[in-house]
Every structure is written in C-alpha cells, then in structure tokens.
Amino acid sequence: MGDPADPAAVVDSDGRVLGLQGLFVIDASIMPGVPRANTHLTTVMIAEHLAARMIGEPQKPQA
C-alpha cells in the first residue's frame, strides 16, 4: 500500500489495485510491513476502515 508514484506500491490508500479498474485488495497482504502484534486484529481494522470508505460512510472523529 502506498503512493501511486511509488514503484513498490501495488495498491493505493483505498485498496485499489494500481493499473487496474474495479479491483480492490483488502487483506493483510497490503500492509507495507509486518506489525509486531497479532495480524488478525490489524487485518480486521484495515478491512473495516476501507469497507466504510468504499460505501461512503463519514469518518469518525478520533478521540
């Protein structure tokens, strides 16, 4: 996951596969690095966040 200008990036910050239309990847493979925590919870949060962005839910303010 990264900037479309980055040659190492495969998906953008919305999970869209660069160079293809209509294809999204939203799973653990888009993490730029492996976290030192349980990857399950991180993957669930990525999926929930990007799914909300896909359907147009407003961003919740961070506390």
Side-chain angles (χ1 to χ4, degrees):
M1 177 173 19
D3 188 296
D6 181 0
V10 178
V11 297
D12 67 8
S13 61
D14 289 325
R16 288 187 290 262
V17 176
L18 300 173
L20 297 173
Q21 286 185 310
L23 181 62
F24 290 80
V25 173
I26 301 175
D27 63 15
S29 70
I30 70 170
M31 288 186 234
V34 179
R36 291 193 201 202
N38 184 337
T39 58
H40 173 73
L41 295 176
T42 307
T43 304
V44 169
M45 291 307 299
I46 289 171
E48 287 183 1
H49 179 74
L50 293 180
R53 288 175 72 168
M54 287 176 71
I55 61 173
E57 288 184 4
Q59 295 278 332
K60 294 178 185 174
Q62 294 188 3

